[in-house]
Amino acid sequence: MHIQKPATHESEAPLSVQDSQNFPEAKDLSLENLDTCQCSQAALQMALIASGLGLWDWNLVTDKTYYDPQWKSILGYKVDEIDNDYKSFEQLIHPQDLPRIRQVLHDYLQGCIPVFEVELRMLTKSGEWKWILTCGKVFQRDKFGKPVRMVGTHKDINQDKAMSTTVTERSRSAGCAYATQQYQLFEQLQTEIAQRHSTEDQVREKSEQLETTLEELKYTQKQLLQNQKMANLGQLVADMANEINNPVSFISGNLHPASQYAEDLIRIIELYQHHYPTPTPVIALQLQRLDLGFVKTEFLKLLWSMRAGSERVKDIVFALRNFSTSDESQMKKVDLHEGFDSVLRILQHRLKEKPDRAEIKVIKTFGELPLIECYPGELNQVFMNILTNAIDALEERMKHDYSFTPKILIHTEVVSSHLSLVNNHEPWVNDKLLGKKHKVIIRIFDNGKGILPHIQKHIFEPFFTTKPVSKSQGLGLSISRQIIVEKHQGKLKCNSQLGQGTELVIEMNTTARHYAAIRKHANF
């Protein structure tokens, strides 16, 4: 049967209800064993049994219909003797009553009458025709207003039909009044069920929020521990750098005069050899054993090597002190290039050539940057994390390709305020005719094997890592993004193509935008 949207009468708002099949059986209606919702269902079932009414629930979309045991017993059938579909109902209707039933149902669904109510004859199991009063009502519609489900009752009025017309009308009115009460009880039950579902949804939503909050707390705790560990490590590095700096400075400072003294002594020996060409036998024997010419040359070379080594140690100490800037709580204007140089000095042991692999070449194309207001210690940590990941990627590729030439490219530039290059996939664009420039773009590129697309979109997530657990906790890039995005109001993005390499792009303002200033100019 084709059902159209009602023209006049509207039923109740759609409800999310349980199937009527979930009503408890009569043998399970012990109230102490039921919860509130089940008690309401049990009360309805007992009321229907006591009143002699049978309940039916019809899904107009699927034609599936539920007939409760009382409905079937009115006609003398057992529970399993009538199929739960609408056709079973029509097959039991007297052929003369069937057109009238369909017409009343059509009028009700069209909104021409307020309630579906009709008397009809139905076939009993014994083969007799029994008069039935059926009443029903739509209680659920779809979002377009079309009926979805109807519910109603059957009442045996066979004896009433044998009485006078007046008694019959009174009985029918009483039956309809009672049926109306049952509708109200049923609607109340559906409302309680809907409220219960709403409460369950709220509890589920709260549970999901608590789980999300718990995960955030775990991440925050680990991040705090990581930050504390980095702070402690930074302080330790600073202290050790100061301790190393004192003796190294002493050695470096004394090597120059020591070299001068050595050159003076060698000069005196050469003068003695010139003015006294024939030494005594003892001195001649000692000179022969000593190989004076070799000693003069190698001794000076040794001193010069010691001077170069001490200068290298001083550079490393300076890099450590610069990397572990103790005053991280305040912003200051710094030269980002010095930060990069410090990090590269610290990572020099990983960049240099080794017996099992080639040297990793670092190509720097630094632009003319102004002093950048930032947290220098944390920004150095970002450079360290990104460069360490780049070195790991290059070493991984070198394990499988011995002819591979590893490279890291670091490029810095300043672009105009209205131009953001983070989303630009073209390499190193810099238009000098764009006007005033006050955004800093930093690109760090490695020609490793690249990152797979499904992994690339997760690399900034906390605790995500493709490395062994003993080598990485998956916090490096997550903390780096927090430092760039949250603390410096910048941007950090990864561009990668499999087999070609990976590029990390950082965009920052040349002047820091403090949180108070952001709040002041924000539109809330």
Side-chain angles (χ1 to χ4, degrees), residues 353-369:
E353 182 179 0
K354 296 182 179 180
D356 57 341
R357 68 164 179 80
E359 176 188 5
I360 298 176
K361 296 182 179 180
V362 178
I363 302 173
K364 298 182 292 184
T365 55
F366 289 164
E368 295 183 3
L369 301 185

PDB file of all heavy atoms in Angstrom, residues 353-369:
ATOM      1  N   GLU A 353      82.256  11.237   8.111  1.00  0.00           N
ATOM      2  CA  GLU A 353      82.404   9.936   7.458  1.00  0.00           C
ATOM      3  C   GLU A 353      82.760   8.864   8.489  1.00  0.00           C
ATOM      4  O   GLU A 353      83.513   9.091   9.432  1.00  0.00           O
ATOM      5  CB  GLU A 353      83.482  10.018   6.387  1.00  0.00           C
ATOM      6  CG  GLU A 353      83.684   8.741   5.601  1.00  0.00           C
ATOM      7  CD  GLU A 353      84.753   8.875   4.542  1.00  0.00           C
ATOM      8  OE1 GLU A 353      85.335   9.992   4.448  1.00  0.00           O
ATOM      9  OE2 GLU A 353      85.014   7.901   3.822  1.00  0.00           O
ATOM     10  N   LYS A 354      82.207   7.661   8.267  1.00  0.00           N
ATOM     11  CA  LYS A 354      82.468   6.518   9.136  1.00  0.00           C
ATOM     12  C   LYS A 354      82.892   5.332   8.272  1.00  0.00           C
ATOM     13  O   LYS A 354      82.691   5.341   7.051  1.00  0.00           O
ATOM     14  CB  LYS A 354      81.219   6.178   9.955  1.00  0.00           C
ATOM     15  CG  LYS A 354      80.802   7.280  10.928  1.00  0.00           C
ATOM     16  CD  LYS A 354      79.592   6.882  11.757  1.00  0.00           C
ATOM     17  CE  LYS A 354      79.204   7.990  12.726  1.00  0.00           C
ATOM     18  NZ  LYS A 354      78.026   7.643  13.550  1.00  0.00           N
ATOM     19  N   PRO A 355      83.482   4.315   8.882  1.00  0.00           N
ATOM     20  CA  PRO A 355      83.955   3.175   8.070  1.00  0.00           C
ATOM     21  C   PRO A 355      82.862   2.503   7.250  1.00  0.00           C
ATOM     22  O   PRO A 355      83.130   1.984   6.161  1.00  0.00           O
ATOM     23  CB  PRO A 355      84.524   2.216   9.132  1.00  0.00           C
ATOM     24  CG  PRO A 355      84.881   3.093  10.284  1.00  0.00           C
ATOM     25  CD  PRO A 355      83.871   4.188  10.295  1.00  0.00           C
ATOM     26  N   ASP A 356      81.616   2.511   7.773  1.00  0.00           N
ATOM     27  CA  ASP A 356      80.559   1.790   7.078  1.00  0.00           C
ATOM     28  C   ASP A 356      79.647   2.692   6.258  1.00  0.00           C
ATOM     29  O   ASP A 356      78.662   2.213   5.675  1.00  0.00           O
ATOM     30  CB  ASP A 356      79.708   1.012   8.083  1.00  0.00           C
ATOM     31  CG  ASP A 356      79.108   1.918   9.147  1.00  0.00           C
ATOM     32  OD1 ASP A 356      79.623   3.034   9.327  1.00  0.00           O
ATOM     33  OD2 ASP A 356      78.128   1.502   9.801  1.00  0.00           O
ATOM     34  N   ARG A 357      79.943   3.984   6.197  1.00  0.00           N
ATOM     35  CA  ARG A 357      79.088   4.865   5.410  1.00  0.00           C
ATOM     36  C   ARG A 357      79.813   6.156   5.061  1.00  0.00           C
ATOM     37  O   ARG A 357      80.833   6.507   5.669  1.00  0.00           O
ATOM     38  CB  ARG A 357      77.785   5.185   6.144  1.00  0.00           C
ATOM     39  CG  ARG A 357      77.966   6.034   7.389  1.00  0.00           C
ATOM     40  CD  ARG A 357      76.632   6.611   7.820  1.00  0.00           C
ATOM     41  NE  ARG A 357      76.680   7.412   9.009  1.00  0.00           N
ATOM     42  CZ  ARG A 357      77.071   8.684   9.061  1.00  0.00           C
ATOM     43  NH1 ARG A 357      77.519   9.276   7.963  1.00  0.00           N
ATOM     44  NH2 ARG A 357      77.049   9.364  10.189  1.00  0.00           N
ATOM     45  N   ALA A 358      79.234   6.876   4.088  1.00  0.00           N
ATOM     46  CA  ALA A 358      79.843   8.120   3.619  1.00  0.00           C
ATOM     47  C   ALA A 358      79.473   9.282   4.551  1.00  0.00           C
ATOM     48  O   ALA A 358      78.602   9.172   5.410  1.00  0.00           O
ATOM     49  CB  ALA A 358      79.379   8.422   2.196  1.00  0.00           C
ATOM     50  N   GLU A 359      80.154  10.402   4.326  1.00  0.00           N
ATOM     51  CA  GLU A 359      79.858  11.615   5.083  1.00  0.00           C
ATOM     52  C   GLU A 359      78.518  12.200   4.643  1.00  0.00           C
ATOM     53  O   GLU A 359      78.164  12.164   3.466  1.00  0.00           O
ATOM     54  CB  GLU A 359      80.962  12.647   4.848  1.00  0.00           C
ATOM     55  CG  GLU A 359      80.688  13.982   5.508  1.00  0.00           C
ATOM     56  CD  GLU A 359      81.694  15.044   5.090  1.00  0.00           C
ATOM     57  OE1 GLU A 359      82.536  14.732   4.213  1.00  0.00           O
ATOM     58  OE2 GLU A 359      81.620  16.174   5.614  1.00  0.00           O
ATOM     59  N   ILE A 360      77.755  12.719   5.594  1.00  0.00           N
ATOM     60  CA  ILE A 360      76.501  13.401   5.283  1.00  0.00           C
ATOM     61  C   ILE A 360      76.822  14.880   5.074  1.00  0.00           C
ATOM     62  O   ILE A 360      77.232  15.583   6.003  1.00  0.00           O
ATOM     63  CB  ILE A 360      75.467  13.230   6.412  1.00  0.00           C
ATOM     64  CG1 ILE A 360      75.122  11.751   6.601  1.00  0.00           C
ATOM     65  CG2 ILE A 360      74.198  14.036   6.117  1.00  0.00           C
ATOM     66  CD1 ILE A 360      74.179  11.477   7.752  1.00  0.00           C
ATOM     67  N   LYS A 361      76.630  15.346   3.850  1.00  0.00           N
ATOM     68  CA  LYS A 361      76.950  16.729   3.533  1.00  0.00           C
ATOM     69  C   LYS A 361      75.786  17.640   3.915  1.00  0.00           C
ATOM     70  O   LYS A 361      74.634  17.342   3.614  1.00  0.00           O
ATOM     71  CB  LYS A 361      77.244  16.871   2.040  1.00  0.00           C
ATOM     72  CG  LYS A 361      78.473  16.103   1.586  1.00  0.00           C
ATOM     73  CD  LYS A 361      78.733  16.317   0.105  1.00  0.00           C
ATOM     74  CE  LYS A 361      79.992  15.562  -0.348  1.00  0.00           C
ATOM     75  NZ  LYS A 361      80.247  15.767  -1.797  1.00  0.00           N
ATOM     76  N   VAL A 362      76.106  18.737   4.570  1.00  0.00           N
ATOM     77  CA  VAL A 362      75.111  19.735   4.948  1.00  0.00           C
ATOM     78  C   VAL A 362      75.341  20.985   4.102  1.00  0.00           C
ATOM     79  O   VAL A 362      76.412  21.592   4.155  1.00  0.00           O
ATOM     80  CB  VAL A 362      75.190  20.080   6.444  1.00  0.00           C
ATOM     81  CG1 VAL A 362      74.163  21.158   6.792  1.00  0.00           C
ATOM     82  CG2 VAL A 362      74.954  18.837   7.292  1.00  0.00           C
ATOM     83  N   ILE A 363      74.336  21.348   3.303  1.00  0.00           N
ATOM     84  CA  ILE A 363      74.421  22.514   2.418  1.00  0.00           C
ATOM     85  C   ILE A 363      73.535  23.610   3.006  1.00  0.00           C
ATOM     86  O   ILE A 363      72.311  23.452   3.105  1.00  0.00           O
ATOM     87  CB  ILE A 363      73.977  22.153   0.994  1.00  0.00           C
ATOM     88  CG1 ILE A 363      74.842  21.009   0.448  1.00  0.00           C
ATOM     89  CG2 ILE A 363      74.052  23.369   0.079  1.00  0.00           C
ATOM     90  CD1 ILE A 363      74.367  20.472  -0.887  1.00  0.00           C
ATOM     91  N   LYS A 364      74.166  24.712   3.388  1.00  0.00           N
ATOM     92  CA  LYS A 364      73.437  25.820   4.007  1.00  0.00           C
ATOM     93  C   LYS A 364      73.319  26.972   3.014  1.00  0.00           C
ATOM     94  O   LYS A 364      74.339  27.442   2.489  1.00  0.00           O
ATOM     95  CB  LYS A 364      74.144  26.286   5.275  1.00  0.00           C
ATOM     96  CG  LYS A 364      74.228  25.211   6.362  1.00  0.00           C
ATOM     97  CD  LYS A 364      74.887  25.735   7.623  1.00  0.00           C
ATOM     98  CE  LYS A 364      76.363  26.034   7.406  1.00  0.00           C
ATOM     99  NZ  LYS A 364      77.030  26.452   8.658  1.00  0.00           N
ATOM    100  N   THR A 365      72.100  27.401   2.773  1.00  0.00           N
ATOM    101  CA  THR A 365      71.858  28.612   1.967  1.00  0.00           C
ATOM    102  C   THR A 365      71.071  29.569   2.853  1.00  0.00           C
ATOM    103  O   THR A 365      69.837  29.607   2.798  1.00  0.00           O
ATOM    104  CB  THR A 365      71.079  28.269   0.683  1.00  0.00           C
ATOM    105  OG1 THR A 365      69.879  27.577   1.024  1.00  0.00           O
ATOM    106  CG2 THR A 365      71.910  27.411  -0.247  1.00  0.00           C
ATOM    107  N   PHE A 366      71.803  30.285   3.676  1.00  0.00           N
ATOM    108  CA  PHE A 366      71.184  31.186   4.638  1.00  0.00           C
ATOM    109  C   PHE A 366      70.905  32.542   3.985  1.00  0.00           C
ATOM    110  O   PHE A 366      71.786  33.140   3.366  1.00  0.00           O
ATOM    111  CB  PHE A 366      72.084  31.387   5.855  1.00  0.00           C
ATOM    112  CG  PHE A 366      72.175  30.168   6.739  1.00  0.00           C
ATOM    113  CD1 PHE A 366      73.178  30.050   7.690  1.00  0.00           C
ATOM    114  CD2 PHE A 366      71.246  29.146   6.640  1.00  0.00           C
ATOM    115  CE1 PHE A 366      73.262  28.946   8.514  1.00  0.00           C
ATOM    116  CE2 PHE A 366      71.316  28.033   7.450  1.00  0.00           C
ATOM    117  CZ  PHE A 366      72.328  27.926   8.394  1.00  0.00           C
ATOM    118  N   GLY A 367      69.669  33.020   4.172  1.00  0.00           N
ATOM    119  CA  GLY A 367      69.332  34.354   3.712  1.00  0.00           C
ATOM    120  C   GLY A 367      69.693  35.391   4.760  1.00  0.00           C
ATOM    121  O   GLY A 367      70.212  35.082   5.841  1.00  0.00           O
ATOM    122  N   GLU A 368      69.439  36.649   4.446  1.00  0.00           N
ATOM    123  CA  GLU A 368      69.708  37.734   5.383  1.00  0.00           C
ATOM    124  C   GLU A 368      68.518  37.864   6.329  1.00  0.00           C
ATOM    125  O   GLU A 368      67.485  38.451   5.996  1.00  0.00           O
ATOM    126  CB  GLU A 368      69.948  39.041   4.626  1.00  0.00           C
ATOM    127  CG  GLU A 368      71.194  39.027   3.745  1.00  0.00           C
ATOM    128  CD  GLU A 368      71.432  40.379   3.078  1.00  0.00           C
ATOM    129  OE1 GLU A 368      70.647  41.319   3.361  1.00  0.00           O
ATOM    130  OE2 GLU A 368      72.374  40.481   2.287  1.00  0.00           O
ATOM    131  N   LEU A 369      68.667  37.291   7.519  1.00  0.00           N
ATOM    132  CA  LEU A 369      67.588  37.299   8.497  1.00  0.00           C
ATOM    133  C   LEU A 369      67.845  38.362   9.559  1.00  0.00           C
ATOM    134  O   LEU A 369      68.991  38.546   9.997  1.00  0.00           O
ATOM    135  CB  LEU A 369      67.453  35.937   9.187  1.00  0.00           C
ATOM    136  CG  LEU A 369      67.174  34.717   8.307  1.00  0.00           C
ATOM    137  CD1 LEU A 369      66.943  33.497   9.190  1.00  0.00           C
ATOM    138  CD2 LEU A 369      65.988  34.950   7.400  1.00  0.00           C
TER     139      LEU A 369
END
